[in-house]
Each structure stands twice: as structure tokens, then as C-alpha cells.
Amino acid sequence: MAQRMVFFVSDGTGITAETLGNTLLTQFDGLETEKNTLPFINSAERARSIVDYINFVASQSEYRPLVFSTTVNDEVRQILRGANALFLDLFDHFVNILETEIGQSSTHAQGRAHGGANTARYNARIAAMNYAMEHDDGASTRDLSRADVILIAPSRCGKTPTCLYLALQHGLFATNFPLTEDDLEKLVLPKSLQEHAGRCFGLIADPERLHQVRTERRPGSRYASLAQCSYELRQAERLYQRQGIPYIDSTNMSVEEMASVVMQEKGLRRQTF
């Protein structure tokens, strides 16, 4: 099957359009796509320019493009709807239904999805980000009692990106610690974490995948060898089981999925910004 061109069009940053479109596209195995995000399409002039571009792309492609849109301006949306593409817009499908149900007209205000955070919540997110960066990879043991969750795992299992996502998206105070060979051999938590075992959550991965990731960083090293990766992961799982620490296999999980599982398992409340 030929590659499909995909456009995420928005009068704002495009984050919502990307999230909506990518979520839907995950349901189609084997679909090859080339994705383009077109943000800040907030005037008729810009909309017409984008339609011209999409039409040009369509003329060069075997299949018409797919357009995922989150534009609140009726005029802009009407112009975009005229493109030679499958046009899917969140507001087309849902706002009218909500207006009827609620009995109130929508404001059609731009930028509400990501611009409505109050100052307290914004500051909380920044504080969480600073905490995650200060405590990344066991760099600091200061104020661990403030952590909502402490991710532990052998090196390169996805601890850091998951902590940063928890902080940035949900304002959660997350930190992470690598499990050293000494920890794994003795099947004990690092000394600084032993009084915080209830905050810990473990990660493991497929040995082959961890071997590949580590090889990119240190090719030919003992650290990256398949035997070492297999040993560390096997011991980590034994440690989690002995210490009663919940854990997941991160191999085939996105950062978003890992964060969701962590929050559910630890009973952490989602914060929306």
C-alpha cells in the first residue's frame, strides 16, 4: 500500500489534533504515513494557503491526504473542508452535539485547550519538572519524602522520560534511581530508598531490546552485552518480587502508557493543565 500523507491542522499548537489523529491511526496496522503538523492556521488567508498546499500534495499522491483538524473558527474550517482530502474535525463532530445537550452556545475561542491553566497549576508543573531534573538517575537524595513516585530499574529501561512526562503532563513529583550491580546481587533497594519502598515502582524490559539500546551508547562493552542485560533484568524482577514492589515490562509501552499504569497502580491523581 502506498504511503498516506497526514496533516494535523490547528489554530493553536496542533497538540490536540496530533493526539486525536495519532490515536485513531494506531488502529490501522501496517499503514504507512508521512505526517505534517500545520499549527496556527487562524485566518482565512492562512487557511487558503494550506488548502493550496494540501491540494498540491494530493495531486502528487496515489491517495488523497488525511486531515485531522481542531479549528474553532467557522470560516477557517469551511475553507479547510474544501481541500482534496478526507477532512476530520473535532469541532464538526462534537461541538454542535454538546451545544444542544448543554443548552448553551460554545465560545469558539481559540487556544483554550492548552492555555487555560491557572497560575498555581502552572507553578506546580514547573516545580515538578525542577524536582524530576534535580533527582534524575539518583543524582540527589534530598527531600525524597516529597516524591509521589520513585521509578527504579536497571539502566536504560525508560525511567527518565517517564518521570519527565509525569512531571510535565501531570505535575507529579517523580524521581528515579538506577539499580546497581551491588543492589541486584544482594536483591536490596539502594540504602537511600529503603525507607521509601512504598513509593517505588519498578521497570524491566526485554533483554534483546535493552542490549540494542545499550549497544548504541557503549558498543562492545560488558555493560551492553546480552548476558549482562539478561542478568540485570532477571535480578531486578527478583528484587521487585522480594520487596513487594509493583513493576511492568516497558519494552512495548509508550511513555504515556507507562505513566498511566504507574499512576493507576500508585493511586496518583491526574492533574490537567
Side-chain angles (χ1 to χ4, degrees):
M1 178 180 292
Q3 190 178 65
R4 296 295 290 257
M5 296 296 296
V6 178
F7 294 94
F8 304 115
V9 183
S10 173
D11 50 24
T13 62
I15 293 173
T16 303
E18 288 177 346
T19 301
L20 170 66
N22 282 318
T23 299
L24 292 173
L25 291 173
T26 60
Q27 300 302 307
F28 298 91
D29 292 337
L31 177 66
E32 294 187 10
T33 61
E34 181 177 334
K35 300 173 182 177
N36 296 272
T37 300
L38 305 173
F40 305 114
I41 309 305
N42 50 19
S43 70
E45 181 181 0
R46 290 186 178 182
R48 292 190 187 96
S49 176
I50 290 303
V51 167
D52 288 342
Y53 175 54
I54 293 173
N55 288 345
F56 171 76
V57 170
S59 71
Q60 304 297 309
S61 306
E62 183 177 350
Y63 302 103
R64 63 176 179 162
L66 308 176
V67 176
F68 296 94
S69 167
T70 51
T71 50
V72 299
N73 184 288
D74 290 333
E75 182 185 12
V76 168
R77 197 159 65 254
Q78 185 60 37
I79 294 170
L80 293 173
R81 197 180 288 115
N84 182 18
L86 174 64
F87 182 78
L88 301 171
D89 188 275
L90 181 67
F91 289 88
D92 269 347
H93 290 280
F94 297 113
V95 170
N96 289 340
I97 298 172
L98 284 169
E99 287 178 333
T100 300
E101 178 66 24
I102 296 172
Q104 176 182 330
S105 296
S106 65
T107 63
H108 282 55
Q110 296 175 1
R112 287 287 180 88
H114 299 284
N118 62 36
T119 301
R121 285 190 171 184
Y122 175 80
N123 289 339
R125 180 165 60 175
I126 296 303
M129 280 293 296
N130 288 336
Y131 185 88
M133 293 172 69
E134 177 188 343
H135 293 80
D136 183 46
D137 215 26
S140 173
T141 59
R142 185 179 67 86
D143 209 11
L144 287 179
S145 60
R146 195 178 183 187
D148 293 303
V149 64
I150 302 170
L151 297 186
I152 58 174
S155 173
R156 313 305 289 180
C157 284
K159 303 183 300 298
T160 294
T162 305
C163 281
L164 292 176
Y165 182 87
L166 288 166
L168 180 62
Q169 293 297 115
H170 301 290
L172 294 171
F173 281 65
T175 182
N176 66 86
F177 274 72
L179 294 173
T180 66
E181 262 195 89
D182 192 47
D183 301 326
L184 295 170
E185 182 179 345
K186 296 178 181 178
L187 298 180
V188 296
L189 289 172
K191 186 175 181 181
S192 57
L193 298 186
Q194 290 177 7
E195 64 179 293
H196 304 291
R199 303 173 192 270
C200 292
F201 192 98
L203 301 177
I204 57 170
D206 176 74
E208 288 281 358
R209 176 57 181 158
L210 185 59
H211 164 61
Q212 292 172 3
V213 172
R214 287 185 174 185
T215 296
E216 292 175 1
R217 190 176 188 185
R218 297 186 196 170
S221 65
R222 175 175 173 271
Y223 161 82
S225 70
L226 181 58
Q228 181 66 20
C229 292
S230 298
Y231 167 76
E232 290 185 24
L233 292 166
R234 186 169 59 251
Q235 289 297 102
E237 192 164 11
R238 290 181 62 194
L239 187 157
Y240 302 150
Q241 292 170 349
R242 173 174 288 190
Q243 301 292 333
I245 293 170
Y247 65 96
I248 54 173
D249 185 332
S250 65
T251 307
N252 296 312
M253 299 181 73
S254 67
V255 170
E256 295 88 346
E257 289 171 328
M258 286 191 283
S260 293
V261 173
V262 169
M263 287 189 291
Q264 183 177 23
E265 180 68 34
K266 305 303 288 185
L268 300 174
R269 182 174 64 88
R270 290 176 179 269
Q271 298 184 47
T272 303
F273 295 96

